[in-house]
Amino acid sequence: MLRIKPANKVASIALYLSAAIGLFATHVSAKEIPFELGVTKVTNGDIVSFKGECYTAKNNPGTWEAPKSGSWFWVPVICSSDTVEPPVAPPVVELPVTEPPVIDPELPTTDIPSDITTFVLGETRVANGDIVSYQRQCFIAQNNPGVWEAPKASSWFWAQTSCGTVEPPITCELPEVLIENQCVIPPVECPDGSNAATVDECPVAPPVVCSDGNSADSVEFCPPEKVVCEDGSQVDDIAQCPVIPVTCPDGTTATKVEDCPAIDIPTTMTVTSDGNGGYLIPRAEFIAIEQSLTSGELFDRVRSDTVTLDNVSVEAVLPLRAANPENVKRAESIVNEALWEFLFPIRNQAYTYNRFLQAIAKFPAFCRTYNDGRDSLAICKRSLATMFAHFVQETGAHAPNWEGALGNPEWRQGLYYVREINKSESDTTGPYNKCTGWAGDRWPCANKSYFGRGAKQLSWNYNYGPFSEAMFDDKMVLLEKPELVADTWLNLASAVFFYVYPQPPKPSMLHVIDGTWQPNAADKANGIEHGFGATIQIINGAFECTKGSTTPQAKARIAYYKEITNYLNLDISGEKLDCADMKPFNTSGAGALEVYWDKDWSWDANTPSNASFKCKLVGYQTAYSAWNAGDYELCVEDNFNVQATGVNGDIIPN
């Protein structure tokens, strides 16, 4: 994980005394160089423009020596033109005078008929034919789903069905919106940044450019954006997308998963020669082994907590939108747009509040509803505070006395960087490219550089590839366009992705915060307990923990966490905040979960070459992940020269 170098030293210009006595501004005709802090390099005699004023360089100023009158490094001069364009800089945000209110709404109830059972992950047991509701949709059980098989369309265990007669939804007349099942008129922010009670009271805004390239008086008058289907076609509504056949476990195709033929999975492996020096194994046997090795309570919990929302629904999320997912509404009730502006006032413009909500929408387990007695709102608030504190450490400006910080303390300087410093998209030879060996074969570099991007500062091609698969079901999207992790909602989604996924043998930060992970005797012997300290151990324990005393980095994270939780009125008195005495998580801990496949080197007397023709779960990263269905088959095929066969014995292409 990338560590951003502190920038506070660069702003310490108080050591220099003014030597500009007797100097007078003179008119100059040379074209001024726009000066950008931390970027622009000059030599003595160069003329720059900064904040509407012009200066001549002297005494070799550095890139962080801000031009100003009375400086040792600059002499004020008259600009050659009346208008000097200032450099691009983070926007100055007007801070709220009072603390933004923390709203604790009752989430709107579902409009599913009361006689339909609500499915609760880990609790609800059903029989084939039972109808349940889940995430405001109804499904009918098939193929004996377990309590951790989340209902969803195109599932082996569920088929989507009608919910029957429902109450018509509440509709509101503009400018009212539906909040907590009531039509209310929310305050609006005008296009010019001012506030008004209604849109009609806003000053006339300039035309906007719609997605089709045409102009309109406002976004409301733009034509609806096209929906991009899985086959790449564009339609007005997702229901118009063509149906793409699914591949069944036996290799055949069907319109939907529930139409796939039932398969009889044998209990022993069948290995035969293909006549060309290789071997054949029925795909059904791969599926049976993969399912048996990746089943169990912990696997099922992690699998359910890493379920993602489709990208079309994610990109439809907007602040205060009535149709926002439930977990997004809960996050909005804790961190509204005004509080987002307050907590991250000098953030990079790519980190928008809307993208923050979209990142949460992608992962329904984040800020979800707990139906087992746990406090959903408190867990959501603690999750946000934890993530925000790590944001500040990973991407903060760390410059308390720098004028570019606009007077904001360090704990409110997070999300300043969206890319690793001194890195550019044109650089294809960076240090984070492992383009050879298994990592290069599985995650090809595509002539790009995979330096740190986004709030997580995602690095290395072997991390961009898995993240791309989780977001798009296609590893090559981000391997070919890693810049999307900086320039789209993925800049924040990458951080939530890291939050909900375990880092074996470490549990996920989500499970540490929500109490799903309970430290066992091995964890306690290593000093690992509930609290913020355990998340430091997860995110960067090798460098910041287990030192016997608090490291500077851990001390900073703890300080940021205290400030943020104090502002959110969150009680952290029972948490273990530090990790100085924590030993690393190990394979004996409660969160240990081996999630990668590697070759099983054991011997089998019943196979043609006496090899195992199997792979096993390991705790180190390989090219094959247990989270990707079918990777077990790939592992065996690649390691034992095997091809899979269908129910009729025909070879299934790789």
Side-chain angles (χ1 to χ4, degrees):
M1 179 174 301
L2 172 67
R3 292 290 158 272
I4 300 299
K5 296 181 180 178
N8 56 318
K9 294 182 180 179
V10 300
S12 301
I13 60 173
L15 296 177
Y16 302 108
L17 300 176
S18 174
I21 300 174
L23 296 177
F24 296 90
T26 58
H27 186 84
V28 295
S29 59
K31 183 173 178 61
E32 298 84 5
I33 302 171
F35 189 87
E36 184 176 353
L37 278 174
V39 176
T40 308
K41 297 181 179 180
V42 298
T43 58
N44 289 341
D46 286 347
I47 300 173
V48 302
S49 62
F50 184 71
K51 294 185 176 181
E53 303 291 338
C54 295
Y55 306 85
T56 299
K58 67 172 184 174
N59 297 320
N60 300 312
T63 60
W64 289 99
E65 300 297 345
K68 63 179 181 179
S69 298
S71 168
W72 177 256
F73 299 101
W74 303 97
V75 177
V77 297
I78 298 174
C79 298
S80 61
S81 61
D82 294 333
T83 303
V84 177
E85 292 293 331
V88 177
V92 177
V93 180
E94 183 178 353
L95 302 182
V97 177
T98 58
E99 296 184 359
V102 177
I103 308 170
D104 184 9
E106 226 178 283
L107 292 174
T109 57
T110 179
D111 46 2
I112 303 297
S114 58
D115 58 341
I116 294 181
T117 301
T118 300
F119 188 91
V120 179
L121 279 175
E123 297 180 12
T124 307
R125 300 184 182 276
V126 297
N128 289 342
D130 288 349
I131 296 178
V132 301
S133 66
Y134 185 70
Q135 295 184 348
R136 299 176 182 256
Q137 300 181 70
C138 292
F139 304 84
I140 185 169
Q142 59 185 16
N143 297 316
N144 300 313
V147 296
W148 287 103
E149 298 295 338
K152 62 179 180 179
S154 301
S155 167
W156 177 254
F157 299 101
W158 300 96
Q160 195 162 4
T161 186
S162 170
C163 294
T165 303
V166 298
E167 292 295 327
I170 300 174
T171 58
C172 302
E173 296 183 359
L174 293 176
E176 294 179 331
V177 296
L178 183 65
I179 299 179
E180 300 180 23
N181 285 336
Q182 294 184 349
C183 293
V184 298
I185 299 178
V188 297
E189 181 178 355
C190 301
D192 64 349
S194 62
N195 294 319
T198 65
V199 175
D200 294 337
E201 297 179 12
C202 287
V204 177
V208 298
V209 178
C210 303
S211 59
D212 62 357
N214 295 318
S215 298
D217 291 337
S218 66
V219 175
E220 290 79 9
F221 295 105
C222 288
E225 293 188 15
K226 295 288 186 180
V227 174
V228 179
C229 302
E230 292 184 36
D231 64 350
S233 61
Q234 295 186 2
V235 296
D236 294 328
D237 186 89
I238 191 171
Q240 299 173 346
C241 288
V243 176
I244 298 179
V246 297
T247 301
C248 300
D250 64 350
T252 62
T253 59
T255 303
K256 48 189 176 181
V257 173
E258 48 265 35
D259 293 336
C260 290
I263 55 175
D264 183 17
I265 303 176
T267 57
T268 58
M269 292 186 65
T270 305
V271 184
T272 59
S273 173
D274 66 358
N276 297 310
Y279 303 93
L280 305 174
I281 297 177
R283 171 165 285 177
E285 297 183 8
F286 287 128
I287 296 173
I289 295 175
E290 183 175 29
Q291 290 180 344
S292 67
L293 293 177
T294 59
S295 62
E297 184 178 9
L298 186 54
F299 252 110
D300 291 341
R301 284 181 178 177
V302 174
R303 187 178 288 111
S304 68
D305 286 347
T306 54
V307 170
T308 57
L309 185 66
D310 66 277
N311 288 345
V312 172
S313 299
V314 169
E315 292 173 356
V317 167
L318 293 170
L320 297 178
R321 175 173 168 263
N324 279 349
E326 186 177 64
N327 66 321
V328 173
K329 292 181 178 179
R330 180 171 288 110
E332 285 183 283
S333 74
I334 298 170
V335 179
N336 58 22
E337 191 159 7
L339 183 53
W340 178 259
E341 297 285 349
F342 175 76
L343 292 175
F344 305 105
I346 65 168
R347 68 186 184 281
N348 188 287
Q349 294 181 11
Y351 296 118
T352 66
Y353 180 68
N354 193 56
R355 288 174 176 174
F356 161 66
L357 298 181
Q358 290 173 324
I360 292 174
K362 184 64 180 178
F363 298 92
F366 191 92
C367 285
R368 73 167 181 254
T369 299
Y370 294 85
N371 297 306
D372 55 6
R374 285 181 282 182
D375 189 333
S376 303
L377 192 67
I379 291 172
C380 180
K381 186 181 291 187
R382 197 176 301 272
S383 296
L384 291 169
T386 299
M387 200 158 60
F388 289 174
H390 292 312
F391 282 177
V392 180
Q393 178 64 18
E394 299 298 319
T395 61
H398 301 292
N401 300 316
W402 172 45
E403 63 184 68
L406 307 178
N408 295 293
E410 274 196 68
W411 69 277
R412 289 172 52 214
Q413 295 180 16
L415 300 180
Y416 181 75
Y417 293 100
V418 73
R419 287 176 174 82
E420 184 179 348
I421 56 175
N422 299 323
K423 295 291 188 294
S424 68
E425 297 299 340
S426 61
D427 177 17
T428 61
T429 60
Y432 303 108
N433 298 5
K434 192 172 182 61
C435 304
T436 58
W438 69 262
D441 292 339
R442 185 71 170 86
W443 317 113
C445 291
N447 196 33
K448 297 287 185 177
S449 181
Y450 306 98
F451 54 79
R453 296 177 178 88
K456 163 68 173 58
Q457 289 288 280
L458 190 71
S459 306
W460 296 97
N461 55 308
Y462 53 73
N463 287 324
Y464 276 78
F467 180 49
S468 184
E469 286 186 330
M471 297 297 98
F472 303 100
D473 293 325
D474 183 350
K475 67 182 179 182
M476 294 309 300
V477 173
L478 296 181
L479 288 172
E480 293 176 345
K481 295 182 178 180
E483 64 272 12
L484 295 178
V485 179
D487 299 331
T488 71
W489 57 271
L490 298 177
N491 56 23
L492 290 160
S494 56
V496 186
F497 170 80
F498 182 80
Y499 186 89
V500 301
Y501 270 84
Q503 308 293 316
K506 310 168 188 177
S508 68
M509 286 196 283
L510 171 64
H511 282 179
V512 169
I513 296 301
D514 72 4
T516 298
W517 171 78
Q518 293 292 330
N520 62 13
D523 294 316
K524 293 177 180 178
N526 287 332
I528 307 173
E529 301 175 11
H530 279 123
F532 184 72
T535 70
I536 303 176
Q537 180 68 264
I538 290 172
I539 200 169
N540 203 31
F543 296 96
E544 300 181 23
C545 302
T546 321
K547 308 298 183 183
S549 59
T550 308
T551 60
Q553 300 96 321
K555 184 177 181 180
R557 293 181 195 268
I558 295 168
Y560 305 147
Y561 184 64
K562 287 181 176 179
E563 292 281 7
I564 294 170
T565 53
N566 178 62
Y567 196 83
L568 295 178
N569 297 316
L570 184 63
D571 181 13
I572 60 172
S573 56
E575 287 192 47
K576 182 174 182 178
L577 303 180
D578 205 349
C579 63
D581 64 342
M582 288 185 186
K583 295 179 181 178
F585 287 91
N586 59 38
T587 54
S588 298
L593 191 64
E594 296 175 327
V595 296
Y596 296 102
W597 300 111
D598 200 0
K599 182 177 182 179
D600 185 341
W601 293 87
S602 62
W603 180 81
D604 188 340
N606 298 314
T607 62
S609 63
N610 300 133
S612 72
F613 287 94
K614 293 180 181 179
C615 285
K616 61 182 180 180
L617 286 168
V618 296
Y620 48 86
Q621 187 174 7
T622 70
Y624 317 100
S625 170
W627 303 125
N628 297 331
D631 268 20
Y632 177 82
E633 179 182 319
L634 289 176
C635 179
V636 175
E637 289 176 344
D638 292 348
N639 281 286
F640 295 97
N641 192 19
V642 167
Q643 294 183 86
T645 58
V647 291
N648 298 319
D650 53 310
I651 297 176
I652 302 173
N654 288 341

